[in-house]
Amino acid sequence: FFQAEDGIRDSSVTGVPDVCSSDLVKFLTDLGWDVTTSPADSSQVRIPAASSDVFERYNALQKSQGYDLGQYAGKKVMRYVYKINNYPGATEPVYATLLVYKNQIIGGDVTDTAAQGKIRGFKMPEATTAPTVPSLPTETAATAPETTQ
């Protein structure tokens, strides 16, 4: 739903103008993600000036994580995409997209490219595997220890 600006698209960019690539990587690693150190893609995009159902759904995701793209309507922003190496249970590539305007991260998402994959916020999802520490058995009336007072 973002519009690429004048065909500007440079996947060979290894540094990030204004915001250092290492700052963006640190933002993602602080959230628990293991990502590539250079963006897989970077491009200038324009936040849509006119709202649409697609934009409103995407912006609802942004608002759920403390961002609001509505205030950037019609503005050109940079979009940086990093490959995530530790997405729980991933069978296909997963990417983190960061939207940057005037040195600030203004939004983004994590996209699982699998057929049933989803677009979600930056927060690491709960592990889908069983916990490694066995849980204690649930007490029932028959197994609960007797207490006297």
Side-chain angles (χ1 to χ4, degrees):
F1 81 98
F2 295 115
Q3 303 163 336
E5 273 306 299
D6 304 324
I8 298 171
R9 188 170 207 84
D10 184 1
S11 59
S12 66
V13 173
T14 57
V16 177
D18 300 327
V19 174
C20 181
S21 182
S22 63
D23 293 337
L24 298 178
V25 169
K26 182 177 180 342
F27 172 82
L28 294 167
T29 57
D30 285 351
L31 292 168
W33 298 117
D34 172 28
V35 298
T36 54
T37 56
S38 295
D41 186 41
S42 65
S43 56
Q44 188 175 54
V45 296
R46 184 183 302 270
I47 305 296
S51 186
S52 68
D53 287 345
V54 173
F55 176 80
E56 289 304 321
R57 283 195 309 271
Y58 189 74
N59 202 34
L61 170 68
Q62 299 313 306
K63 288 178 179 179
S64 75
Q65 49 184 5
Y67 302 109
D68 183 358
L69 297 178
Q71 61 188 316
Y72 301 99
K75 303 246 189 259
K76 295 177 187 178
V77 304
M78 286 302 296
R79 177 178 163 266
Y80 299 98
V81 180
Y82 291 86
K83 185 172 187 285
I84 292 176
N85 301 315
N86 65 333
Y87 191 90
T91 57
E92 297 293 329
V94 178
Y95 296 96
T97 298
L98 297 167
L99 300 172
V100 176
Y101 181 75
K102 293 188 176 180
N103 301 326
Q104 296 293 317
I105 295 170
I106 62 164
D109 63 79
V110 171
T111 302
D112 180 352
T113 64
Q116 300 300 315
K118 297 185 182 199
I119 297 175
R120 60 185 338 119
F122 292 127
K123 185 180 174 194
M124 173 84 69
E126 297 294 321
T128 55
T129 58
T132 55
V133 177
S135 58
L136 296 173
T138 306
E139 286 185 0
T140 64
T143 62
E146 265 187 50
T147 58
T148 57
Q149 295 181 341

